[in-house]
Amino acid sequence: MRLSRYFLPILRETPKEAEIVSHRLMLRAGMLRQETAGIYAWLPLGLRVLNKINAIVREEQNRAGAIELLMPTIQPADLWRESGRYDDYGKEMLRIKDRHEREMLFGPTNEEMVTEIFRGYVRSYKDLPLNLYHIQWKFRDEVRPRFGVMRSREFLMKDAYSFDIDAEGARHSYAKMFVAYLRTFERMGLKAIPMRADTGPIGGSLSHEFIILANTGESEVFCHKDFLDYEAPPADINFDDRAAVQDVVDRWTARYAATSEMHDAPVFEALPEAERVSARGIEVGHIFSFGTKYSEPMRAVVNGADGKEVPVQMGSYGIGPSRLAAALIEANHDEAGIIWPRAVAPFHVGLANLKVGDPATDAACEDLYARLTKAGVEVLYDDRDDRPGAKFATLDLIGLPHQLIVGPKGLASGEIELKDRRTGARESLTPDAAFNRLVAESA
RNA sequence: CGGGGUAUAGCGCAGUCCGGUAGCGCAGUAGUUUUGGGAACUACAGGUCGCAGGUUCGAAUCCUGCUGCCCCGACCA
């Protein structure tokens, strides 16, 4: 992408409404625009990040056997009356009426709807297990939205719903999502720790929140330090192998880890002090197993092998990609701006032409831009007639992992500069060497 | 929902106490000189001073009501 033809509205000063670093940087880097309290437009750079996050989430959901569909944002109130949640959900649910005065709502979650879809088609235990998910906008009318997209009213959520014939199957479905979540967050370069959690209005008995540690996190968390060294399971784990999948869950739940709501201070303090970690965290995922809470009242039943009709065992599994975008920045930034982990970076490389109009630099940049793009490396080419300092500042701010700096000085001796955004390390090398390096890394 | 703050050009702000017809920096446009860490100069353009009502010869400024947004707290993916 040529910056001269892109839409990247960088702000030099921070809008005063932004308090926390991710919100400030997202506004300054031209990723977001607030339209009203808790509701944001995603500008092109922000959307690229969101799409990268979604792609990883999707790959790992698919790998774990979940199947993608897409449910609507607007739902009929009657569906929620069946589960009893229409009244329970309270003011957080945005209620609307259509032209026929029918009561509708903007979905804050989709248990009712997915259960309605399920019961319309599935009759036999032979069709189970089943896990359906979608990535769709949700609306929860928060009393006090804040921190940009970290706590917005409209937000993107990946929500998966599992259906099983019995409790043992449901446990396996839960374990599969547990493993998929560990992998998903690790691929984004985040250390997410599963913590026993309260089930809230979703209900159920078994629940874990996935928390990443960050100073600006909203919740206070406590865990064993061993978690910091745990590694996520490999991509080739066999999700159908119940024992293998359960082993991962057992390992990751053996040590103490809890949010403040579930914190058991005496147990935690019984640990040697050197093994305790108390920190702040950001919740980036939440999984629930809630049995027949919805299937029973909504009559989502199947025939078992014994010919008897039973309500299905369900679970739901959520990740907030829009919140993740902010959480990633909270975990990856410095004074100059964002530092994207490669997997979610909006572009891989920023190519800075330090002297637009100079035949040698123009030619070198055009050549690199064309070759890298053709090789599948995502390049943002700053071809604007601007001063070098401004270009450096912009590239640092938007945080692409690599900066390729092409100027007349270096070119005079046949070299350009490759800068690593995270370490700040710069290296002079030939354009061909830089090309090979970047292509090798994206392979 | 309780408490606090704030609203003036795209962004950041001054002007409000003490009423006299709106200003600064950045960004924008044109030109000149510049060009390896957010350039300089000159010129230009950009405002129903959040909204409604009131007081006054005259309101960004005083009064009344309303609204938006932000922060702290309680609550939540």
Side-chain angles (χ1 to χ4, degrees), chain A residues 53-71:
Chain A
I53 292 170
N54 288 344
I56 292 174
V57 168
R58 201 171 258 131
E59 267 183 45
E60 295 300 330
Q61 290 293 293
N62 294 347
R63 195 195 302 280
I67 300 163
E68 186 172 12
L69 46 54
L70 184 59
M71 292 178 269

Side-chain angles (χ1 to χ4, degrees), chain A residues 145-361:
Chain A
R146 61 188 120 168
F147 305 145
V149 291
M150 194 88 93
R151 173 166 303 290
S152 48
R153 293 194 292 170
E154 185 183 57
F155 61 98
L156 193 59
M157 182 158 89
K158 183 288 298 180
D159 38 327
Y161 302 91
S162 67
F163 303 89
D164 284 275
I165 187 67
D166 54 24
E168 197 190 330
R171 186 159 175 254
H172 180 47
S173 290
Y174 186 88
K176 284 196 277 191
M177 286 293 110
F178 189 106
V179 168
Y181 276 33
L182 291 177
R183 288 194 40 75
T184 300
F185 299 125
E186 174 162 286
R187 283 186 58 187
M188 295 175 193
L190 293 173
K191 171 66 70 180
I193 301 172
M195 303 197 177
R196 284 254 312 286
D198 196 12
T199 53
I202 309 283
S205 53
L206 180 58
S207 176
H208 285 91
E209 288 180 4
F210 287 75
I211 305 270
I212 62 168
L213 304 183
N215 295 332
T216 45
E218 281 195 84
S219 32
E220 205 175 357
V221 298
F222 307 89
C223 70
H224 194 283
K225 75 159 178 48
D226 282 3
F227 277 107
L228 306 177
D229 301 320
Y230 283 1
E231 278 183 24
D236 62 0
I237 184 169
N238 179 359
F239 280 95
D240 292 326
D241 183 338
R242 289 195 179 195
V245 171
Q246 191 60 46
D247 272 355
V248 174
V249 175
D250 290 346
R251 174 171 151 76
W252 279 82
T253 53
R255 299 289 198 194
Y256 188 86
T259 59
S260 54
E261 304 89 67
M262 302 291 280
H263 186 47
D264 186 341
V267 173
F268 182 65
E269 277 151 26
L271 292 171
E273 185 153 9
E275 295 179 7
R276 285 183 239 157
V277 176
S278 349
R280 300 201 66 82
I282 302 169
E283 179 185 351
V284 290
H286 200 161
I287 61 179
F288 304 86
S289 184
F290 44 71
T292 59
K293 177 176 160 104
Y294 301 93
S295 56
E296 213 157 338
M298 294 185 67
R299 295 284 303 153
V301 296
V302 297
N303 282 304
D306 56 4
K308 283 188 183 147
E309 204 171 58
V310 291
V312 286
Q313 300 284 324
M314 293 176 59
S316 73
Y317 315 90
I319 290 179
S322 48
R323 172 182 284 186
L324 259 175
L328 280 157
I329 294 173
E330 291 294 332
N332 298 282
H333 67 271
D334 62 15
E335 306 71 38
I338 303 168
I339 304 174
W340 289 115
R342 193 170 201 291
V344 295
F347 295 91
H348 300 135
V349 187
L351 173 60
N353 183 341
L354 295 193
K355 192 162 185 180
V356 170
D358 178 272
T361 54

Side-chain angles (χ1 to χ4, degrees), chain A residues 25-60:
Chain A
L25 290 173
M26 288 179 95
L27 293 171
R28 285 199 55 216
M31 295 177 66
L32 279 186
R33 179 175 179 81
Q34 178 169 339
E35 294 300 338
T36 183
I39 298 182
Y40 293 85
W42 289 75
L43 303 180
L45 195 76
L47 180 60
R48 287 185 73 101
V49 172
L50 198 54
N51 285 338
K52 295 261 174 130
I53 292 170
N54 288 344
I56 292 174
V57 168
R58 201 171 258 131
E59 267 183 45
E60 295 300 330

